[in-house]
Amino acid sequence: QRLGEISFHTPRKRLSMQNLNKVKRKGKEKISICMMVQDVEDTLELCLSSVKEFADEIVIVDGGSKDNTFNIAQRFTEKIIDHKWPDNHSEQRNIYLQEAEGDWIFEIDADEFVPPEFAKYIRKLVNYNDFVSYWFPRHWLVSEEGLYYVKNEWLHPDSQHRLYRNKKELYYKGKVHEELCGLRGKAA
């Protein structure tokens, strides 16, 4: 079984926890966890458990699961949209973009999880005004008699665009290798 861990480590000194702790902002920015799923009962609970601490809402688009995915998802959210898999990643992602109500969207795949310290870090990031989106390194783990990191020049680490401001003009294009469009501003 393959799992991806979204890490909170960043090479930018200005995004260190020490610097982020100095950030003050009125109000609490809301984070929507968004994902598309289908037949992921083996990994979904770990994934959702890892994000529930910082999630203000969880939006799941299910492509027609035949296993226990829906029941597992229901334990974490009521916002589950059943949309038959259209053989198009962008179409599924555009559905959760329409449904998400948070100030920020954090995307995660069902076979990924975040470490426990990530909750504190992401809350600081969404209050840091300089950026409209963030990329995170993803570390690949394989479970064969325990978990181990895959250290491969192509996969380690593999940066992913996962956190961005929720704007109504956002949309995805591309059937498989989808691209987020309409986001303007600095990314980190």
Side-chain angles (χ1 to χ4, degrees):
Q1 186 175 20
R2 185 190 77 190
L3 295 170
E5 176 189 44
I6 304 296
S7 175
F8 61 92
H9 304 291
T10 178
R12 299 177 187 268
K13 287 186 178 178
R14 60 193 277 186
L15 294 180
S16 70
M17 276 302 279
Q18 183 179 3
N19 287 337
L20 289 173
N21 281 331
K22 298 173 188 172
V23 174
K24 300 283 186 224
R25 185 170 179 163
K26 290 181 181 174
K28 178 183 168 192
E29 296 281 286
K30 293 190 175 172
I31 301 172
S32 297
I33 307 301
C34 293
M35 56 194 312
M36 55 182 190
V37 301
Q38 187 169 341
D39 296 325
V40 290
E41 68 180 8
D42 292 343
T43 58
L44 186 60
E45 187 160 7
L46 172 63
C47 173
L48 292 174
S49 294
S50 78
V51 298
K52 71 179 181 181
E53 186 179 339
F54 63 88
D56 294 296
E57 84 170 334
I58 298 173
V59 181
I60 297 175
V61 179
D62 189 324
S65 294
K66 305 263 187 272
D67 64 2
N68 202 31
T69 296
F70 182 82
N71 294 330
I72 294 167
Q74 269 191 316
R75 295 199 306 256
F76 294 88
T77 185
E78 293 179 6
K79 217 167 198 180
I80 305 167
I81 298 104
D82 186 27
H83 187 264
K84 186 176 184 241
W85 176 244
D87 198 29
N88 185 317
H89 289 86
S90 290
E91 187 176 323
Q92 294 294 80
R93 291 193 191 282
N94 286 331
I95 291 169
Y96 66 59
L97 287 179
Q98 293 170 0
E99 297 293 327
E101 296 176 14
D103 303 300
W104 290 84
I105 292 176
F106 181 76
E107 293 179 351
I108 191 164
D109 294 341
D111 64 348
E112 297 172 335
F113 64 93
V114 296
E117 311 83 41
F118 193 80
K120 200 179 295 182
Y121 187 75
I122 195 170
R123 280 283 165 209
K124 297 288 184 181
L125 284 178
V126 298
N127 288 319
Y128 193 70
N129 287 326
D130 284 358
F131 300 102
V132 297
S133 68
Y134 296 91
W135 291 71
F136 297 97
R138 175 174 55 187
H139 300 275
W140 291 98
L141 302 162
V142 177
S143 64
E144 290 178 10
E145 299 176 23
L147 286 177
Y148 67 90
Y149 279 104
V150 175
K151 297 206 175 186
N152 175 300
E153 62 186 60
W154 297 308
L155 295 177
H156 183 75
D158 165 29
S159 290
Q160 298 290 311
H161 192 212
R162 295 303 175 94
L163 177 66
Y164 50 89
R165 278 215 169 270
N166 187 6
K167 302 285 185 187
K168 293 300 171 204
E169 59 270 13
L170 296 180
Y171 65 96
Y172 273 97
K173 71 175 185 178
K175 191 173 181 178
V176 177
H177 298 289
E178 62 276 18
E179 175 186 352
L180 181 63
C181 301
L183 193 62
R184 289 177 177 55
K186 294 189 293 185

